[in-house]
C-alpha cells in the first residue's frame, strides 16, 4: 500500500520544474508510472509529492525534423511501436519498443521515462546510447541537452541534473547506407531482458566505415564495445568478419552473475545476439555478407 503522499498535476513543464525546485528531494516526477509505482508500493522510494506530468499539453509528439526523429516526453512505448513515422525513420526503435514488458507496460510507460530511469536491464537506454540520441531537459537553469552515448552512468544513474525533466529525445534518422538493429534475450515473455545488443553500421559499398556496438542488461548500464567496433571498421564484409566481431562483443563484455545466469552464459548469449543484430543492421544498411 502507498503511504499518504501529495499529488500535483501541473499544466506546464515550467510549473512542474518549479514544484520540483520547491520540494527538492521530497518530490518525484511521474510519467508512465510503470517503474515508479512498483517502487512506491514496495516502499523502495518515499516522497512527499508526486508531480504528474501527464496533463501537460503537446508532449506526445512523434515528428521528423530535418535528419532527426523527435519524440516527446508523453509518448508511450506502444506509440513508438505502432508509429509509421518511427518504423520508417528508425526501425530499430520501433522493434525495441514493441518488445518492452507487456501490453499494460507499453500502453503507459514512456520512452523518456525509461531513459530517465536508466534501469540496467531497460531497453530504451541501450538504443539511446547506440544511436547517440540527443536528450533534452528543462530544469532550474533552463534547457539542457545531453548525448545519449555519455548520458548513462550505471545503475539508475544518469547525467540528468537535479530537478530536471526530460522533455524530448531526438534520434538521428537511420537510413541506408546506415543500418541499425536491436536484439534481446528475455527469460520469459514480458520479463526484463537478460542480455541485449544494439548494432549500428555505416557502409561504403561492402566496406564498414563506422560501427557502434552497445550491450545492455549484462552490466550496470549500456556498455560500448570499442574493440569489436574497431575490428569491423575499415573492413570488407564477410561472414567470418561478422562472426569474429560478434565473438569479440561477448568476450569483451564483463557480465554480472545473477539469478538470470552465469558470466559465461551471458557472454555466450551476447555473442549470439551481437551476430543477429549485426546481420540485420548490415542488411538494413544495404550491405551483402559474402
Ligand atoms: C512488469 C514490467 C515489465 C517491464 N519490462 C520492461 C522491459 O522488458 N524493458 C524495459 O525497458 N522496461 C520494462 N519495464 C519498465 C517500463 O519500460 C517503464 O515504462 C520505464 O522503465 C519507465 O517509464 P515510465 O514512463 O513508466 O516512468 P515512471 O515509472 O513514471 O518513472 C520512472 C522514473 O523516471 C523518472 N521520470 C519519468 N519520466 C521522467 C521525465 N520525463 N523526466 C525526468 N524523469 C522522469 C521518475 O521520476 C522515476 O524516477 C517494465 C515494467 C514493468 C512494471
Amino acid at each position: 500500500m502507498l503511504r499518504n503522499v501529495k499529488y500535483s498535476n501541473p499544466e506546464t513543464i515550467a510549473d512542474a520544474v518549479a514544484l520540483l525546485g520547491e520540494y527538492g528531494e521530497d518530490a518525484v516526477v511521474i510519467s508512465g508510472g510503470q517503474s515508479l509505482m512498483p517502487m512506491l508500493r514496495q516502499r523502495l522510494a518515499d516522497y512527499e509529492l508526486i508531480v504528474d506530468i501527464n496533463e501537460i499539453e503537446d508532449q506526445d509528439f512523434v515528428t521528423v525534423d530535418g535528419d532527426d526523429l523527435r519524440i516527446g516526453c508523453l509518448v508511450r512505448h506502444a506509440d513508438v511501436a505502432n508509429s509509421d513515422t518511427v518504423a520508417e525513420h528508425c526501425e530499430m526503435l520501433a522493434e525495441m519498443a514493441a518488445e518492452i514488458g507487456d501490453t499494460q507496460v507499453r500502453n503507459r510507460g514512456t520512452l523518456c521515462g525509461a531513459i530517465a530511469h536508466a534501469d540496467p536491464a531497460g531497453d530504451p537506454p541501450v538504443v539511446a546510447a547506440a544511436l547517440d540520441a540527443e536528450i533534452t531537459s528543462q530544469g532550474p537553469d533552463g534547457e539542457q541537452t545531453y548525448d545519449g552515448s555519455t548520458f548513462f552512468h550505471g545503475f539508475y544513474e544518469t547525467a540528468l541534473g537535479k530537478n530536471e525533466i526530460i522533455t524530448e529525445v531526438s534520434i538521428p534518422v537511420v537510413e541506408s547506407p546506415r543500418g541499425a538493429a536491436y536484439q534481446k534475450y528475455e527469460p520469459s515473455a514480458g520479463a526484463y531482458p537478460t542480455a541485449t545488443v544494439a548494432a549500428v553500421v555505416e557502409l561504403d559499398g561492402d566496406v564498414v566505415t563506422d560501427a557502434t556496438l552497445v550491450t545492455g542488461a549484462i552490466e550496470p548500464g549500456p556498455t560500448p564495445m570499442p574493440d569489436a567496433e574497431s575490428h569491423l571498421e575499415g573492413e570488407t564484409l564477410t561472414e567470418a568478419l561478422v562472426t569474429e566481431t560478434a565473438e569479440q562483443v561477448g568476450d569483451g563484455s564483463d557480465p554480472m552473475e545473477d539469478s538470470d545466469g552465469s558470466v559465461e552464459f551471458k557472454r555466450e548469449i551476447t555473442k549470439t545476439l551481437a551476430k543477429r543484430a549485426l546481420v540485420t543492421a548490415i542488411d538494413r544498411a544495404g550491405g551483402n555478407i559474402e
Side-chain angles (χ1 to χ4, degrees):
M1 199 163 69
L2 284 184
R3 84 169 181 95
N4 277 345
V5 59
K6 288 188 218 160
Y7 170 86
S8 178
N9 55 348
E11 290 180 2
T12 66
I13 294 280
D15 288 348
V17 169
L19 280 167
L20 293 180
E22 193 181 324
Y23 281 77
E25 295 189 348
D26 292 328
V28 69
V29 171
I30 192 167
S31 50
Q34 296 305 297
S35 294
L36 183 63
M37 290 309 293
M39 286 166 61
L40 293 177
R41 268 194 227 106
Q42 293 168 39
R43 306 274 173 109
L44 296 173
D46 197 13
Y47 297 97
E48 200 181 329
L49 176 71
I50 291 180
V51 179
D52 183 348
I53 60 173
N54 284 280
E55 297 296 314
I56 300 175
E57 286 186 355
D58 302 328
Q59 300 302 314
D60 57 353
F61 57 87
V62 175
T63 177
V64 175
D65 188 358
D67 291 336
D68 294 315
L69 176 64
R70 295 175 53 205
I71 296 180
C73 64
L74 292 181
V75 175
R76 317 284 165 183
H77 302 312
D79 299 329
V80 175
N82 297 327
S83 162
D84 291 340
T85 306
V86 177
E88 184 183 342
H89 297 284
C90 189
E91 203 173 347
M92 160 157 87
L93 186 63
E95 74 189 355
M96 177 279 293
E99 297 299 325
I100 289 177
D102 53 28
T103 305
Q104 175 189 307
V105 171
R106 292 193 292 276
N107 281 344
R108 290 304 302 168
T110 64
L111 179 72
C112 290
I115 286 172
H117 190 52
D119 189 313
D123 298 291
V126 184
V127 169
L131 290 172
D132 199 16
E134 188 176 273
I135 297 158
T136 302
S137 72
Q138 286 287 341
D141 299 324
E143 186 174 291
Q144 310 287 331
T145 57
Y146 300 94
D147 293 337
S149 58
T150 54
F151 184 72
F152 302 98
H153 295 177
F155 281 108
Y156 304 98
E157 291 287 334
T158 70
L160 196 67
K162 230 173 155 185
N163 303 328
E164 289 181 20
I165 295 173
I166 297 180
T167 51
E168 72 172 81
V169 172
S170 173
I171 289 170
V173 164
V174 183
E175 55 193 23
S176 179
R178 274 179 93 222
Y182 182 72
Q183 288 283 325
K184 72 172 174 180
Y185 170 78
E186 52 188 7
S188 58
Y192 278 93
T194 301
T196 71
V197 176
V200 187
V201 296
E202 187 163 337
L203 304 179
D204 180 1
D206 281 340
V207 175
V208 182
T209 54
D210 195 30
T212 305
L213 290 158
V214 178
T215 66
I218 54 175
E219 298 190 40
T223 307
M225 291 287 146
D227 291 345
E229 291 165 1
S230 306
H231 189 73
L232 203 54
E233 285 167 351
E235 300 295 328
T236 301
L237 286 171
T238 61
E239 173 81 30
L241 177 72
V242 172
T243 304
E244 283 162 20
T245 305
E247 282 174 0
Q248 283 208 5
V249 174
D251 288 335
S253 67
D254 187 16
M256 303 170 288
E257 182 158 344
D258 56 23
S259 56
D260 282 339
S262 65
V263 169
E264 271 320 302
F265 170 74
K266 291 185 182 182
R267 281 205 180 112
E268 289 306 311
I269 290 270
T270 299
K271 289 178 193 176
T272 303
L273 297 174
K275 176 128 189 219
R276 289 182 188 159
L278 274 168
V279 167
T280 307
I282 289 164
D283 182 54
R284 288 177 180 165
N288 292 307
I289 302 171
E290 293 299 320

